[in-house]
Amino acid sequence: MVSLQGVDPDRPKDNQDACYVAELPDGRLQAVVLDGHGKKGHVVSGALKAFLPDLLTEQLASGKHDIPTAMRMAFMASDATLREKGVGQSAWASGAAALAAVVERGATWHIDVACAGDCHAWLLEKVEGRWRGSSISQASSCERERDRLEAAGARVSKGILWAGPIGVAMSRALGDLALRPFGLLCEPELQEISGQNEAFLCL
């Protein structure tokens, strides 16, 4: 895992990224990358790193849902947890893009991906002796979801969702609580893929 601090020429900048990889009780892996934004984005991504692993593990262990639904429920539960854990003030106008993957390893592997934001997942497979890359996530685009956002009262301009002076360059994210009434969703978009080729995942 690699995380490099960004540079802002006008002010010192906190590293707003966070990530983790953890093994689930059944041997599958969960991996998450979080890309904070806003003045308190590092607080939001740090808080999510602290409790998203448990939320995802709980949903998967409950046996009530398939993996994609469990991932969606964990992302949505994170919104309530941000408020309950006292991070609500920091998460009012700051948030984090989030990308989660649950990986089942083996001769036949299976990957489920949940994306809320502009993080990205790539699969690299070895096919006939050559490595081939393919995207297995979709960035949360304000232009793609313009109709839904504008129906909720947001203004979309140059790829940014605006509600008064507050804006974010994605249609889905964790945190950014001030933008929830204007169509910003914490609910992720879901993808899944299976295969048997030698492969690795890049988040």
Side-chain angles (χ1 to χ4, degrees), residues 25 28 37 62 70 95 113 119 125 146 151 153 175 184 190:
R28 289 176 296 185
H37 54 258
S62 73
V113 173
C119 296
E125 291 182 89
R146 175 188 285 270
L184 183 82
L190 305 166

Side-chain angles (χ1 to χ4, degrees), residues 24 59 110 117 121 133 143 150-151 164 185 193 199 202:
L24 294 163
Q59 290 293 334
H110 186 86
E143 292 298 338
E150 290 181 343
L185 296 178
I193 189 169
C202 179

Side-chain angles (χ1 to χ4, degrees), residues 28 56 59-60 65-76 100 102 110-115 187-193:
R28 289 176 296 185
L56 189 49
Q59 290 293 334
L60 290 167
H65 311 295
D66 58 17
I67 295 171
T69 303
M71 296 174 82
R72 182 173 58 81
M73 299 293 287
F75 272 53
M76 294 172 71
V102 174
H110 186 86
I111 302 169
D112 288 277
V113 173
C115 181
E187 183 176 349
E189 295 180 282
L190 305 166
Q191 305 287 337
E192 55 183 305
I193 189 169

Side-chain angles (χ1 to χ4, degrees), residues 3-184:
S3 181
L4 297 176
Q5 180 173 334
V7 176
D8 186 333
D10 298 322
R11 61 184 169 89
K13 187 175 177 69
D14 291 301
N15 187 341
Q16 296 187 316
D17 299 335
C19 56
Y20 70 83
V21 177
E23 189 166 12
L24 294 163
D26 61 8
R28 289 176 296 185
L29 295 178
Q30 63 163 314
V32 172
V33 293
L34 301 157
D35 180 1
H37 54 258
K39 290 183 179 178
K40 298 290 185 179
H42 56 292
V43 176
V44 177
S45 61
L48 289 166
K49 180 180 178 177
F51 58 70
L52 193 53
D54 290 338
L55 289 171
L56 189 49
T57 300
E58 287 169 17
Q59 290 293 334
L60 290 167
S62 73
K64 296 177 183 176
H65 311 295
D66 58 17
I67 295 171
T69 303
M71 296 174 82
R72 182 173 58 81
M73 299 293 287
F75 272 53
M76 294 172 71
S78 70
D79 190 49
T81 307
L82 280 172
R83 299 170 197 260
E84 292 167 5
K85 299 292 184 182
V87 190
Q89 187 172 354
S90 295
W92 180 250
S94 297
L99 178 72
V102 174
V103 181
E104 184 175 343
R105 298 167 289 179
T108 298
W109 46 260
H110 186 86
I111 302 169
D112 288 277
V113 173
C115 181
D118 57 3
C119 296
H120 211 90
W122 284 86
L123 179 73
L124 289 102
E125 291 182 89
K126 199 168 190 179
V127 180
E128 297 178 353
R130 299 185 62 152
W131 288 99
R132 182 182 69 196
S134 58
S135 172
I136 55 170
S137 69
Q138 184 169 224
S140 304
S141 163
C142 295
E143 292 298 338
R144 181 165 52 83
E145 297 198 79
R146 175 188 285 270
D147 291 346
R148 180 181 64 75
L149 297 172
E150 290 181 343
R155 179 172 58 88
V156 176
S157 174
K158 297 181 180 178
I160 297 176
L161 181 166
W162 291 99
I166 301 173
V168 68
M170 57 200 77
S171 57
R172 297 166 189 258
L174 303 181
D176 297 302
L177 303 178
L179 295 169
R180 287 299 158 76
F182 299 93
L184 183 82

